[in-house]
């Protein structure tokens, strides 16, 4: 077993506005990240379970939780498969506003009031399913191929409904890697 615990704290100041969107965000952000990882090896199967939990919070009142599990299964001395399951959830930032229902127009906002309709700061939940295949050519060279299916929806938010104006989003991604040890 291997256990890891990380804590990170960041303070940023500056222009956080998205100039491609009409928004007014705070010019200061304090962020706290906590991460716990636990890897357990199953000797009889030659496999390992990798589990992690990440909590994020900031001064914009954004709170996120990420839970991830991976199963590392060697099939022989050269080939390994690793399926992955991840769940992510967040509440909306304190100044997030949903567009008016049925439109992309923002509700009326008072002059000088902070606001954004950026969906990255809305309330939603997301699921990722992934599979990675690794192949070790020799002691120095290896390659890997990974595919992920990602889907986010407002009603997948843990602890309540998400932002009603959020359009469901889905993506498929692939990564290929080549490594050489020195």
């Amino acid at each position: 077993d291997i256990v890891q615990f990380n804590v990170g704290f960041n303070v940023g100041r500056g222009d956080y506005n998205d100039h491609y969107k009409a928004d007014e965000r705070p010019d200061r952000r304090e962020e706290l990240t906590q991460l716990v990882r636990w890897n357990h090896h199953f000797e009889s199967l030659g496999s390992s379970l990798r589990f992690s939990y990440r909590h994020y919070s900031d001064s914009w009142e954004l709170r996120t939780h990420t839970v991830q599990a991976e199963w590392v299964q060697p099939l022989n001395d050269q080939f390994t498969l690793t399926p992955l399951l991840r769940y992510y959830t967040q509440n909306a930032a304190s100044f997030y506003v949903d567009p008016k229902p049925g439109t992309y127009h923002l509700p009326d906002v008072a002059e000088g009031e902070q606001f954004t309709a950026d969906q990255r700061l809305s309330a939603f939940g997301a699921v990722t399913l992934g599979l990675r295949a690794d192949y070790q050519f020799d002691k120095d060279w290896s390659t890997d191929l990974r595919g992920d299916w990602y889907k986010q929806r407002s009603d997948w938010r843990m602890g309540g409904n998400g932002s009603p104006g959020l359009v469901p989003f889905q993506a498929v991604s692939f990564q290929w890697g080549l490594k050489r040890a020195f």
Side-chain angles (χ1 to χ4, degrees):
D1 289 294
I2 298 174
V3 177
Q4 175 185 0
F5 182 68
N6 293 356
V7 176
F9 182 72
N10 184 53
V11 176
R13 292 187 178 154
D15 185 3
Y16 284 99
N17 294 330
D18 187 335
H19 298 284
Y20 295 100
K21 301 176 189 290
D23 69 6
E24 184 67 38
R25 301 178 189 192
D27 62 0
R28 178 179 167 87
R29 191 174 193 181
E30 295 179 9
E31 302 168 295
L32 176 65
T33 306
Q34 301 155 333
L35 173 70
V36 176
R37 288 186 179 143
W38 171 54
N39 295 352
H40 178 74
H41 183 71
F42 295 88
E43 189 67 37
S44 61
L45 300 172
S47 307
S48 295
L49 172 66
R50 297 178 185 158
F51 178 81
S52 66
Y53 169 74
R54 179 181 182 267
H55 178 263
Y56 170 90
S57 60
D58 68 19
S59 57
W60 294 359
E61 298 180 27
L62 193 63
R63 306 289 180 266
T64 75
H65 303 272
T66 307
V67 178
Q68 179 172 305
E70 295 175 281
W71 182 263
V72 182
Q73 182 63 60
L75 300 179
N76 58 38
D77 289 341
Q78 293 178 295
F79 193 65
T80 303
L81 284 179
T82 306
L84 167 142
L85 175 62
R86 178 186 308 124
Y87 174 69
Y88 175 87
T89 184
Q90 74 177 42
N91 67 310
S94 59
F95 52 91
Y96 175 79
V97 293
D98 272 304
K100 291 179 183 176
T103 73
Y104 292 103
H105 301 291
L106 292 175
D108 294 330
V109 179
E111 181 70 30
E113 185 178 339
Q114 294 173 340
F115 70 96
T116 188
D118 186 337
Q119 72 171 6
R120 295 170 295 182
L121 297 174
S122 69
F124 67 92
V127 172
T128 303
L129 299 173
L131 181 63
R132 177 177 167 156
D134 290 87
Y135 184 77
Q136 188 78 38
F137 295 110
D138 57 33
K139 70 179 189 69
D140 294 331
W141 287 93
S142 66
T143 187
D144 63 82
L145 179 64
R146 176 177 171 160
D148 287 324
W149 174 84
Y150 172 89
K151 188 167 186 176
Q152 74 181 35
R153 294 174 46 148
S154 63
D155 58 349
W156 287 354
R157 178 180 171 258
M158 180 177 62
N161 292 332
S163 300
L166 183 67
V167 177
F169 175 75
Q170 181 174 311
V172 175
S173 64
F174 294 97
Q175 298 174 353
W176 174 73
L178 182 64
K179 297 181 220 161
R180 183 180 189 287
F182 293 95

